[in-house]
PDB file of all heavy atoms in Angstrom:
ATOM      1  N   ALA A  27       9.593  20.248  28.039  1.00 84.00           N
ATOM      2  CA  ALA A  27      10.575  21.064  28.760  1.00 84.00           C
ATOM      3  C   ALA A  27      10.250  21.179  30.236  1.00 84.00           C
ATOM      4  O   ALA A  27      11.093  21.609  31.025  1.00 84.00           O
ATOM      5  CB  ALA A  27      10.650  22.450  28.136  1.00 84.00           C
ATOM      6  N   ASP A  28       9.050  20.783  30.618  1.00 76.00           N
ATOM      7  CA  ASP A  28       8.632  20.880  32.016  1.00 76.00           C
ATOM      8  C   ASP A  28       9.571  20.103  32.932  1.00 76.00           C
ATOM      9  O   ASP A  28       9.759  20.465  34.086  1.00 76.00           O
ATOM     10  CB  ASP A  28       7.196  20.370  32.165  1.00 76.00           C
ATOM     11  CG  ASP A  28       6.583  20.765  33.493  1.00 76.00           C
ATOM     12  OD1 ASP A  28       6.920  21.858  34.002  1.00 76.00           O
ATOM     13  OD2 ASP A  28       5.764  19.995  34.012  1.00 76.00           O
ATOM     14  N   ASN A  29      10.170  19.058  32.419  1.00 76.00           N
ATOM     15  CA  ASN A  29      11.091  18.249  33.217  1.00 76.00           C
ATOM     16  C   ASN A  29      12.541  18.683  33.061  1.00 76.00           C
ATOM     17  O   ASN A  29      13.422  18.089  33.658  1.00 76.00           O
ATOM     18  CB  ASN A  29      10.953  16.769  32.837  1.00 76.00           C
ATOM     19  CG  ASN A  29       9.564  16.252  33.145  1.00 76.00           C
ATOM     20  OD1 ASN A  29       8.950  16.663  34.116  1.00 76.00           O
ATOM     21  ND2 ASN A  29       9.062  15.352  32.311  1.00 76.00           N
ATOM     22  N   GLU A  30      12.788  19.687  32.250  1.00 78.00           N
ATOM     23  CA  GLU A  30      14.144  20.174  32.016  1.00 78.00           C
ATOM     24  C   GLU A  30      14.183  21.686  32.225  1.00 78.00           C
ATOM     25  O   GLU A  30      13.974  22.449  31.281  1.00 78.00           O
ATOM     26  CB  GLU A  30      14.588  19.845  30.597  1.00 78.00           C
ATOM     27  CG  GLU A  30      14.598  18.364  30.292  1.00 78.00           C
ATOM     28  CD  GLU A  30      14.949  18.103  28.844  1.00 78.00           C
ATOM     29  OE1 GLU A  30      15.776  18.841  28.281  1.00 78.00           O
ATOM     30  OE2 GLU A  30      14.372  17.170  28.281  1.00 78.00           O
ATOM     31  N   PRO A  31      14.457  22.134  33.439  1.00 73.00           N
ATOM     32  CA  PRO A  31      14.428  23.572  33.726  1.00 73.00           C
ATOM     33  C   PRO A  31      15.335  24.398  32.823  1.00 73.00           C
ATOM     34  O   PRO A  31      15.036  25.549  32.525  1.00 73.00           O
ATOM     35  CB  PRO A  31      14.892  23.646  35.183  1.00 73.00           C
ATOM     36  CG  PRO A  31      14.594  22.308  35.750  1.00 73.00           C
ATOM     37  CD  PRO A  31      14.747  21.341  34.608  1.00 73.00           C
ATOM     38  N   SER A  32      16.414  23.812  32.338  1.00 73.00           N
ATOM     39  CA  SER A  32      17.335  24.576  31.494  1.00 73.00           C
ATOM     40  C   SER A  32      16.706  24.969  30.159  1.00 73.00           C
ATOM     41  O   SER A  32      17.053  25.992  29.577  1.00 73.00           O
ATOM     42  CB  SER A  32      18.616  23.779  31.245  1.00 73.00           C
ATOM     43  OG  SER A  32      18.311  22.572  30.565  1.00 73.00           O
ATOM     44  N   SER A  33      15.764  24.178  29.655  1.00 85.00           N
ATOM     45  CA  SER A  33      15.139  24.505  28.381  1.00 85.00           C
ATOM     46  C   SER A  33      13.755  25.130  28.546  1.00 85.00           C
ATOM     47  O   SER A  33      13.125  25.522  27.571  1.00 85.00           O
ATOM     48  CB  SER A  33      15.041  23.260  27.499  1.00 85.00           C
ATOM     49  OG  SER A  33      14.198  22.310  28.090  1.00 85.00           O
ATOM     50  N   GLU A  34      13.308  25.249  29.800  1.00 87.00           N
ATOM     51  CA  GLU A  34      11.965  25.780  30.053  1.00 87.00           C
ATOM     52  C   GLU A  34      11.794  27.199  29.524  1.00 87.00           C
ATOM     53  O   GLU A  34      10.809  27.505  28.851  1.00 87.00           O
ATOM     54  CB  GLU A  34      11.689  25.743  31.555  1.00 87.00           C
ATOM     55  CG  GLU A  34      10.282  26.085  31.942  1.00 87.00           C
ATOM     56  CD  GLU A  34      10.075  25.950  33.436  1.00 87.00           C
ATOM     57  OE1 GLU A  34      10.625  26.781  34.188  1.00 87.00           O
ATOM     58  OE2 GLU A  34       9.380  25.003  33.831  1.00 87.00           O
ATOM     59  N   VAL A  35      12.748  28.078  29.781  1.00 88.00           N
ATOM     60  CA  VAL A  35      12.644  29.469  29.319  1.00 88.00           C
ATOM     61  C   VAL A  35      12.628  29.526  27.794  1.00 88.00           C
ATOM     62  O   VAL A  35      11.825  30.247  27.201  1.00 88.00           O
ATOM     63  CB  VAL A  35      13.799  30.333  29.885  1.00 88.00           C
ATOM     64  CG1 VAL A  35      13.833  31.700  29.215  1.00 88.00           C
ATOM     65  CG2 VAL A  35      13.657  30.486  31.386  1.00 88.00           C
ATOM     66  N   ALA A  36      13.465  28.737  27.167  1.00 90.00           N
ATOM     67  CA  ALA A  36      13.520  28.740  25.702  1.00 90.00           C
ATOM     68  C   ALA A  36      12.200  28.281  25.101  1.00 90.00           C
ATOM     69  O   ALA A  36      11.702  28.891  24.149  1.00 90.00           O
ATOM     70  CB  ALA A  36      14.665  27.848  25.215  1.00 90.00           C
ATOM     71  N   GLU A  37      11.617  27.231  25.652  1.00 90.00           N
ATOM     72  CA  GLU A  37      10.370  26.701  25.092  1.00 90.00           C
ATOM     73  C   GLU A  37       9.193  27.638  25.345  1.00 90.00           C
ATOM     74  O   GLU A  37       8.345  27.825  24.472  1.00 90.00           O
ATOM     75  CB  GLU A  37      10.088  25.297  25.614  1.00 90.00           C
ATOM     76  CG  GLU A  37      11.099  24.267  25.168  1.00 90.00           C
ATOM     77  CD  GLU A  37      11.330  24.229  23.666  1.00 90.00           C
ATOM     78  OE1 GLU A  37      10.405  24.510  22.878  1.00 90.00           O
ATOM     79  OE2 GLU A  37      12.464  23.928  23.261  1.00 90.00           O
ATOM     80  N   PHE A  38       9.144  28.252  26.522  1.00 90.00           N
ATOM     81  CA  PHE A  38       8.082  29.225  26.775  1.00 90.00           C
ATOM     82  C   PHE A  38       8.267  30.454  25.881  1.00 90.00           C
ATOM     83  O   PHE A  38       7.295  31.017  25.382  1.00 90.00           O
ATOM     84  CB  PHE A  38       8.020  29.623  28.252  1.00 90.00           C
ATOM     85  CG  PHE A  38       7.208  28.667  29.078  1.00 90.00           C
ATOM     86  CD1 PHE A  38       7.822  27.800  29.960  1.00 90.00           C
ATOM     87  CD2 PHE A  38       5.823  28.623  28.968  1.00 90.00           C
ATOM     88  CE1 PHE A  38       7.074  26.907  30.716  1.00 90.00           C
ATOM     89  CE2 PHE A  38       5.069  27.736  29.713  1.00 90.00           C
ATOM     90  CZ  PHE A  38       5.702  26.877  30.591  1.00 90.00           C
ATOM     91  N   SER A  39       9.497  30.859  25.661  1.00 93.00           N
ATOM     92  CA  SER A  39       9.771  31.983  24.773  1.00 93.00           C
ATOM     93  C   SER A  39       9.322  31.668  23.353  1.00 93.00           C
ATOM     94  O   SER A  39       8.748  32.513  22.658  1.00 93.00           O
ATOM     95  CB  SER A  39      11.266  32.323  24.788  1.00 93.00           C
ATOM     96  OG  SER A  39      11.672  32.730  26.068  1.00 93.00           O
ATOM     97  N   ARG A  40       9.584  30.440  22.919  1.00 93.00           N
ATOM     98  CA  ARG A  40       9.156  29.999  21.589  1.00 93.00           C
ATOM     99  C   ARG A  40       7.624  30.035  21.498  1.00 93.00           C
ATOM    100  O   ARG A  40       7.053  30.486  20.508  1.00 93.00           O
ATOM    101  CB  ARG A  40       9.691  28.600  21.308  1.00 93.00           C
ATOM    102  CG  ARG A  40       9.499  28.136  19.887  1.00 93.00           C
ATOM    103  CD  ARG A  40      10.219  26.818  19.605  1.00 93.00           C
ATOM    104  NE  ARG A  40      11.660  27.044  19.464  1.00 93.00           N
ATOM    105  CZ  ARG A  40      12.576  26.639  20.335  1.00 93.00           C
ATOM    106  NH1 ARG A  40      12.244  25.978  21.413  1.00 93.00           N
ATOM    107  NH2 ARG A  40      13.850  26.893  20.123  1.00 93.00           N
ATOM    108  N   ALA A  41       6.941  29.581  22.547  1.00 93.00           N
ATOM    109  CA  ALA A  41       5.477  29.590  22.561  1.00 93.00           C
ATOM    110  C   ALA A  41       4.936  31.013  22.511  1.00 93.00           C
ATOM    111  O   ALA A  41       3.949  31.296  21.814  1.00 93.00           O
ATOM    112  CB  ALA A  41       4.960  28.864  23.799  1.00 93.00           C
ATOM    113  N   ILE A  42       5.569  31.938  23.219  1.00 94.00           N
ATOM    114  CA  ILE A  42       5.134  33.338  23.194  1.00 94.00           C
ATOM    115  C   ILE A  42       5.342  33.928  21.805  1.00 94.00           C
ATOM    116  O   ILE A  42       4.489  34.655  21.291  1.00 94.00           O
ATOM    117  CB  ILE A  42       5.896  34.163  24.262  1.00 94.00           C
ATOM    118  CG1 ILE A  42       5.530  33.690  25.661  1.00 94.00           C
ATOM    119  CG2 ILE A  42       5.632  35.651  24.102  1.00 94.00           C
ATOM    120  CD1 ILE A  42       4.074  33.839  26.025  1.00 94.00           C
ATOM    121  N   GLY A  43       6.445  33.609  21.170  1.00 94.00           N
ATOM    122  CA  GLY A  43       6.680  34.081  19.798  1.00 94.00           C
ATOM    123  C   GLY A  43       5.626  33.561  18.837  1.00 94.00           C
ATOM    124  O   GLY A  43       5.123  34.295  17.979  1.00 94.00           O
ATOM    125  N   PHE A  44       5.279  32.285  18.977  1.00 92.00           N
ATOM    126  CA  PHE A  44       4.245  31.671  18.147  1.00 92.00           C
ATOM    127  C   PHE A  44       2.915  32.399  18.355  1.00 92.00           C
ATOM    128  O   PHE A  44       2.229  32.777  17.400  1.00 92.00           O
ATOM    129  CB  PHE A  44       4.112  30.188  18.510  1.00 92.00           C
ATOM    130  CG  PHE A  44       3.156  29.411  17.656  1.00 92.00           C
ATOM    131  CD1 PHE A  44       3.609  28.736  16.538  1.00 92.00           C
ATOM    132  CD2 PHE A  44       1.807  29.346  17.969  1.00 92.00           C
ATOM    133  CE1 PHE A  44       2.730  27.992  15.748  1.00 92.00           C
ATOM    134  CE2 PHE A  44       0.921  28.612  17.190  1.00 92.00           C
ATOM    135  CZ  PHE A  44       1.389  27.936  16.075  1.00 92.00           C
ATOM    136  N   ALA A  45       2.556  32.627  19.615  1.00 94.00           N
ATOM    137  CA  ALA A  45       1.287  33.287  19.934  1.00 94.00           C
ATOM    138  C   ALA A  45       1.267  34.729  19.428  1.00 94.00           C
ATOM    139  O   ALA A  45       0.249  35.194  18.907  1.00 94.00           O
ATOM    140  CB  ALA A  45       1.040  33.245  21.437  1.00 94.00           C
ATOM    141  N   ASP A  46       2.371  35.435  19.582  1.00 94.00           N
ATOM    142  CA  ASP A  46       2.432  36.813  19.087  1.00 94.00           C
ATOM    143  C   ASP A  46       2.253  36.872  17.566  1.00 94.00           C
ATOM    144  O   ASP A  46       1.567  37.751  17.046  1.00 94.00           O
ATOM    145  CB  ASP A  46       3.749  37.480  19.473  1.00 94.00           C
ATOM    146  CG  ASP A  46       3.714  38.116  20.846  1.00 94.00           C
ATOM    147  OD1 ASP A  46       2.627  38.181  21.457  1.00 94.00           O
ATOM    148  OD2 ASP A  46       4.782  38.558  21.308  1.00 94.00           O
ATOM    149  N   ALA A  47       2.874  35.938  16.863  1.00 93.00           N
ATOM    150  CA  ALA A  47       2.721  35.909  15.403  1.00 93.00           C
ATOM    151  C   ALA A  47       1.268  35.637  15.026  1.00 93.00           C
ATOM    152  O   ALA A  47       0.726  36.251  14.092  1.00 93.00           O
ATOM    153  CB  ALA A  47       3.643  34.846  14.795  1.00 93.00           C
ATOM    154  N   LEU A  48       0.615  34.738  15.755  1.00 91.00           N
ATOM    155  CA  LEU A  48      -0.799  34.451  15.519  1.00 91.00           C
ATOM    156  C   LEU A  48      -1.644  35.697  15.759  1.00 91.00           C
ATOM    157  O   LEU A  48      -2.493  36.059  14.934  1.00 91.00           O
ATOM    158  CB  LEU A  48      -1.274  33.314  16.423  1.00 91.00           C
ATOM    159  CG  LEU A  48      -2.787  33.073  16.477  1.00 91.00           C
ATOM    160  CD1 LEU A  48      -3.320  32.679  15.109  1.00 91.00           C
ATOM    161  CD2 LEU A  48      -3.111  32.016  17.510  1.00 91.00           C
ATOM    162  N   LEU A  49      -1.420  36.375  16.869  1.00 90.00           N
ATOM    163  CA  LEU A  49      -2.188  37.582  17.173  1.00 90.00           C
ATOM    164  C   LEU A  49      -1.945  38.679  16.136  1.00 90.00           C
ATOM    165  O   LEU A  49      -2.883  39.375  15.741  1.00 90.00           O
ATOM    166  CB  LEU A  49      -1.850  38.083  18.579  1.00 90.00           C
ATOM    167  CG  LEU A  49      -2.346  37.183  19.706  1.00 90.00           C
ATOM    168  CD1 LEU A  49      -1.798  37.653  21.043  1.00 90.00           C
ATOM    169  CD2 LEU A  49      -3.855  37.126  19.729  1.00 90.00           C
ATOM    170  N   ASP A  50      -0.701  38.823  15.706  1.00 88.00           N
ATOM    171  CA  ASP A  50      -0.409  39.808  14.655  1.00 88.00           C
ATOM    172  C   ASP A  50      -1.190  39.503  13.389  1.00 88.00           C
ATOM    173  O   ASP A  50      -1.751  40.394  12.754  1.00 88.00           O
ATOM    174  CB  ASP A  50       1.087  39.844  14.333  1.00 88.00           C
ATOM    175  CG  ASP A  50       1.907  40.512  15.421  1.00 88.00           C
ATOM    176  OD1 ASP A  50       1.314  41.170  16.307  1.00 88.00           O
ATOM    177  OD2 ASP A  50       3.146  40.362  15.380  1.00 88.00           O
ATOM    178  N   ARG A  51      -1.238  38.231  13.016  1.00 86.00           N
ATOM    179  CA  ARG A  51      -1.974  37.829  11.814  1.00 86.00           C
ATOM    180  C   ARG A  51      -3.461  38.126  11.967  1.00 86.00           C
ATOM    181  O   ARG A  51      -4.105  38.643  11.068  1.00 86.00           O
ATOM    182  CB  ARG A  51      -1.749  36.349  11.546  1.00 86.00           C
ATOM    183  CG  ARG A  51      -2.507  35.771  10.363  1.00 86.00           C
ATOM    184  CD  ARG A  51      -1.906  36.102   8.998  1.00 86.00           C
ATOM    185  NE  ARG A  51      -0.519  35.767   8.889  1.00 86.00           N
ATOM    186  CZ  ARG A  51      -0.028  34.589   8.519  1.00 86.00           C
ATOM    187  NH1 ARG A  51      -0.852  33.610   8.212  1.00 86.00           N
ATOM    188  NH2 ARG A  51       1.275  34.402   8.443  1.00 86.00           N
ATOM    189  N   LEU A  52      -4.013  37.823  13.129  1.00 84.00           N
ATOM    190  CA  LEU A  52      -5.433  38.082  13.370  1.00 84.00           C
ATOM    191  C   LEU A  52      -5.735  39.575  13.344  1.00 84.00           C
ATOM    192  O   LEU A  52      -6.746  39.994  12.781  1.00 84.00           O
ATOM    193  CB  LEU A  52      -5.868  37.487  14.716  1.00 84.00           C
ATOM    194  CG  LEU A  52      -5.909  35.972  14.777  1.00 84.00           C
ATOM    195  CD1 LEU A  52      -6.169  35.518  16.206  1.00 84.00           C
ATOM    196  CD2 LEU A  52      -6.947  35.410  13.833  1.00 84.00           C
ATOM    197  N   ARG A  53      -4.862  40.360  13.936  1.00 81.00           N
ATOM    198  CA  ARG A  53      -5.071  41.811  13.925  1.00 81.00           C
ATOM    199  C   ARG A  53      -5.034  42.355  12.505  1.00 81.00           C
ATOM    200  O   ARG A  53      -5.846  43.194  12.135  1.00 81.00           O
ATOM    201  CB  ARG A  53      -3.987  42.500  14.756  1.00 81.00           C
ATOM    202  CG  ARG A  53      -4.165  42.359  16.227  1.00 81.00           C
ATOM    203  CD  ARG A  53      -3.080  43.135  16.969  1.00 81.00           C
ATOM    204  NE  ARG A  53      -3.049  42.744  18.349  1.00 81.00           N
ATOM    205  CZ  ARG A  53      -2.034  42.117  18.942  1.00 81.00           C
ATOM    206  NH1 ARG A  53      -0.937  41.837  18.267  1.00 81.00           N
ATOM    207  NH2 ARG A  53      -2.098  41.788  20.205  1.00 81.00           N
ATOM    208  N   ASN A  54      -4.096  41.901  11.728  1.00 77.00           N
ATOM    209  CA  ASN A  54      -3.934  42.423  10.373  1.00 77.00           C
ATOM    210  C   ASN A  54      -5.042  41.986   9.433  1.00 77.00           C
ATOM    211  O   ASN A  54      -5.394  42.711   8.517  1.00 77.00           O
ATOM    212  CB  ASN A  54      -2.573  42.007   9.802  1.00 77.00           C
ATOM    213  CG  ASN A  54      -1.430  42.701  10.499  1.00 77.00           C
ATOM    214  OD1 ASN A  54      -1.594  43.784  11.061  1.00 77.00           O
ATOM    215  ND2 ASN A  54      -0.265  42.084  10.497  1.00 77.00           N
ATOM    216  N   THR A  55      -5.581  40.804   9.639  1.00 71.00           N
ATOM    217  CA  THR A  55      -6.615  40.321   8.729  1.00 71.00           C
ATOM    218  C   THR A  55      -8.014  40.725   9.159  1.00 71.00           C
ATOM    219  O   THR A  55      -8.939  40.663   8.366  1.00 71.00           O
ATOM    220  CB  THR A  55      -6.573  38.786   8.570  1.00 71.00           C
ATOM    221  OG1 THR A  55      -6.720  38.194   9.839  1.00 71.00           O
ATOM    222  CG2 THR A  55      -5.286  38.345   7.920  1.00 71.00           C
ATOM    223  N   SER A  56      -8.165  41.153  10.415  1.00 67.00           N
ATOM    224  CA  SER A  56      -9.501  41.500  10.873  1.00 67.00           C
ATOM    225  C   SER A  56      -9.838  42.969  10.645  1.00 67.00           C
ATOM    226  O   SER A  56     -10.990  43.357  10.766  1.00 67.00           O
ATOM    227  CB  SER A  56      -9.668  41.156  12.355  1.00 67.00           C
ATOM    228  OG  SER A  56      -8.822  41.968  13.141  1.00 67.00           O
ATOM    229  N   ALA A  57      -8.864  43.758  10.305  1.00 69.00           N
ATOM    230  CA  ALA A  57      -9.116  45.176  10.076  1.00 69.00           C
ATOM    231  C   ALA A  57      -9.588  45.384   8.643  1.00 69.00           C
ATOM    232  O   ALA A  57      -8.853  45.143   7.691  1.00 69.00           O
ATOM    233  CB  ALA A  57      -7.846  45.977  10.337  1.00 69.00           C
TER     234      ALA A  57
END
């Protein structure tokens, strides 16, 4: 998406969602 500004926000948003889900899983399993 780096070469396509129109999809850049969508792809970064998708990456943030992926990372948030990972962090949620780590928080829930580490307690």
